[in-house]
Amino acid sequence: MSEQQPPYGGHQSNPAGWVPPPQYGAPVPGAPMPGYPAGPGWGPAPDPRKKFGWGGLIGAFVLGGVAAVVAGFFLLILIGLAVSDDFEDDPGSTVAWSGTSPTHPYISSEADTPKASECLEPGPGSAVLTSRSSVVDCDQSHGAEVAQVLQSPGGKERPDGDDLAAYADSACLLAFESYVGADYDDSALEFWAVVPDREAWERGDRSTWCLIDTTDGYGDDGTVKGTGQ
């Protein structure tokens, strides 16, 4: 009987020790995957919990503090400008502020200045007291009236600012009530007691000005003297 032949394309037998080649694309044990370089890759994925460390937190805190300081600085500037506008609207004003009291510069005893019962065009915070440039007829619209001009007592050394302000307020309160003809607590008006600044005091100026504020329309139709307002 003849030997049976394998089908077309077949093999008779597997030679001893022969290993068939790997299929295309199949990995060979121990070898790197094709298309990727051997050696270390990108490393482990970052831990999202460590994205911001202590350095980042401290830096953010410092930047936030600097921003707050800068914002506060500009806020103080704006507030200062607003307060300055309220107290001194007129660049030619001779009334300024020292601590808690309005003050005026040196006024010579021979100077021609506003007198008691006269009216001033601007309000007390913008009045000129060193000359008569602010004086207007009381029938015109005006912002202040001079109730009285007093001479503050004291020696060569200027009293403490609070003490001088306390004396001036008490004296001008009496002048206000006498001028308006009404108790201060019952009146709709206010007054300012303007004292000499330190340089004026050292030069012998003791004048204290009692000014009635008529900026809210009370000075639009004549003087407030004796009106009881």
Side-chain angles (χ1 to χ4, degrees), residues 5 15 18 33 39 66-67 69 72 90-91 128 144 153 161-162 166 188 197 207 223:
Q5 297 295 323
W18 183 79
M33 291 294 292
V66 171
V69 170
D90 186 352
V128 175
D162 292 339
D197 62 21
S207 56
T223 178

Side-chain angles (χ1 to χ4, degrees), residues 90 92-95 113-114 120 122-124 126-135 209:
D90 186 352
S93 170
T94 59
V95 177
T113 60
L120 310 177
S126 301
V128 175
L129 303 179
T130 56
S131 71
R132 296 184 60 80
S133 61
S134 291
V135 177
W209 298 76

Side-chain angles (χ1 to χ4, degrees), residues 10-22:
H11 300 279
Q12 291 183 353
S13 62
N14 183 19
W18 183 79
V19 178

